[in-house]
Amino acid sequence: MTVTFREAQRADVPAVIALLVDDGLGASREAGDMDIYLRAFDVIQSGGGNTVIVGERDGRIVATYQITIIAGLSLRASTRAQLESVRVASDLRGQGIGHLLIADAEARARGAGCSLMQLTMNHSRKDTARFYASLGFTPSHIGYKRELM
Amino acid sequence: MTVTFREAQRADVPAVIALLVDDGLGASREAGDMDIYLRAFDVIQSGGGNTVIVGERDGRIVATYQITIIAGLSLRASTRAQLESVRVASDLRGQGIGHLLIADAEARARGAGCSLMQLTMNHSRKDTARFYASLGFTPSHIGYKRELM
């Protein structure tokens, strides 16, 4: 399986949003005009250390994730790579694309001098828990969220 | 109780590290020359949207946290405020400083246009779990970490 991971371009945003919608939780959470996503993509691009990645196979965007490099003081001044919005096309799951995706993230994290990768996963994603455990991630933390409305 | 929260300056870094060490988990995790922390502080300052905050009372740094503003595509292009390294001086806990700290973070998050605040907490911090629940945070996620050595 050959999947090429690269930084997303603005023209990839509709395909990325399609992957976010192609998901048990995302189906109900994503909505609205593509303009709100394009504006957010421009903000992501304008900042440093925050990047949307896409995985492409035979001209199709089949996977995506966001990686954010966060310098910090704790853990002996560790720099962390945080992953968000990790998705693989639903018709292509279980074929190793997720492993390639995490390997790509690890390479980018190491390249940015990170000593830690981290992400949070909604409790309802039972299958995904096995996936992250198999990749050496430790479920050591509770992930808290609070909406600001 | 009056605590003034403000952006940390370079001269505050030793006091911030003292708060990280003044902690059940941090005591064993933090070590090394102050230079590594000062260099990390300079990196934090050089990037956008990543800020160390200190809480000061009567000239003493009594609390700290890091806030990172992360633009994203998911959740209808939500911008998140992520909190990290939240600490209150051990001799001053239980007096409401933590609530003031989270209120300060919320104000900064809203000011940055965030629709979500998030953080992860090590499972071993049982008292802290009650604290976040009391502040309206939902423990909806599992926080995964993987060291890159």
Side-chain angles (χ1 to χ4, degrees):
Chain A
M1 166 99 55
T2 301
V3 180
T4 303
F5 290 92
R6 59 171 175 78
E7 295 190 14
Q9 306 299 309
R10 203 166 195 268
D12 298 316
V13 172
V16 170
I17 304 309
L19 285 171
L20 297 182
V21 172
D22 177 27
D23 173 75
L25 290 175
S28 62
R29 291 193 307 209
E30 306 303 336
D33 201 296
M34 189 56 59
D35 282 353
I36 65 164
Y37 294 107
L38 289 169
R39 280 198 298 270
F41 184 78
D42 293 340
V43 173
I44 292 170
Q45 296 291 90
S46 70
N50 192 12
T51 311
V52 177
I53 305 294
V54 292
E56 192 167 10
R57 191 178 70 161
D58 300 335
R60 176 186 170 197
I61 303 295
V62 297
T64 184
Y65 70 98
Q66 181 177 344
I67 184 168
T68 309
I69 309 300
I70 306 175
L73 295 178
S74 64
L75 296 174
R76 305 184 191 194
S78 289
T79 299
R80 299 153 189 255
Q82 178 160 298
L83 309 187
E84 180 64 58
S85 305
V86 176
R87 298 289 187 280
V88 172
S90 60
D91 61 318
L92 296 173
R93 288 180 198 150
Q95 299 179 35
I97 295 176
H99 282 73
L100 297 174
L101 183 158
I102 296 296
D104 182 77
E106 180 181 345
R108 292 178 194 272
R110 289 186 188 275
C114 296
S115 54
L116 189 69
M117 282 204 295
Q118 63 183 28
L119 60 92
T120 71
M121 184 201 77
N122 191 290
H123 277 290
S124 67
R125 300 187 188 277
K126 304 294 184 196
D127 291 348
T128 313
R130 286 190 287 273
F131 169 71
Y132 287 121
S134 76
L135 286 163
F137 285 87
T138 304
S140 55
H141 285 62
I142 300 171
Y144 285 93
K145 311 274 178 183
R146 181 177 155 199
E147 289 187 11
L148 301 177
M149 295 298 167
Chain B
M1 167 98 56
T2 301
V3 179
T4 303
F5 289 91
R6 60 171 174 78
E7 294 190 15
Q9 305 300 308
R10 204 167 195 267
D12 298 316
V13 172
V16 170
I17 304 310
L19 285 171
L20 296 183
V21 171
D22 177 28
D23 174 75
L25 290 175
S28 63
R29 291 194 307 210
E30 305 303 335
D33 200 296
M34 189 55 60
D35 282 353
I36 66 165
Y37 295 107
L38 289 169
R39 280 199 298 271
F41 184 78
D42 293 340
V43 173
I44 292 169
Q45 295 292 89
S46 70
N50 191 13
T51 311
V52 178
I53 305 293
V54 292
E56 192 168 10
R57 191 178 71 160
D58 299 336
R60 177 185 170 198
I61 303 296
V62 297
T64 184
Y65 69 98
Q66 181 177 344
I67 183 168
T68 309
I69 308 301
I70 306 175
L73 295 178
S74 63
L75 297 173
R76 304 183 192 194
S78 289
T79 298
R80 300 153 190 254
Q82 178 160 298
L83 310 186
E84 181 63 59
S85 305
V86 176
R87 298 288 187 282
V88 172
S90 60
D91 62 317
L92 296 173
R93 288 181 197 149
Q95 299 180 35
I97 295 177
H99 281 73
L100 297 174
L101 184 158
I102 296 295
D104 182 78
E106 180 181 345
R108 291 177 194 272
R110 290 186 188 275
C114 296
S115 55
L116 188 69
M117 282 203 295
Q118 62 183 30
L119 60 92
T120 71
M121 184 200 75
N122 192 291
H123 277 290
S124 66
R125 300 187 188 276
K126 303 294 184 195
D127 290 348
T128 313
R130 285 190 286 275
F131 169 72
Y132 287 120
S134 77
L135 287 163
F137 285 87
T138 304
S140 55
H141 284 62
I142 299 171
Y144 285 93
K145 310 275 178 182
R146 180 176 156 200
E147 289 187 10
L148 301 177
M149 294 299 166

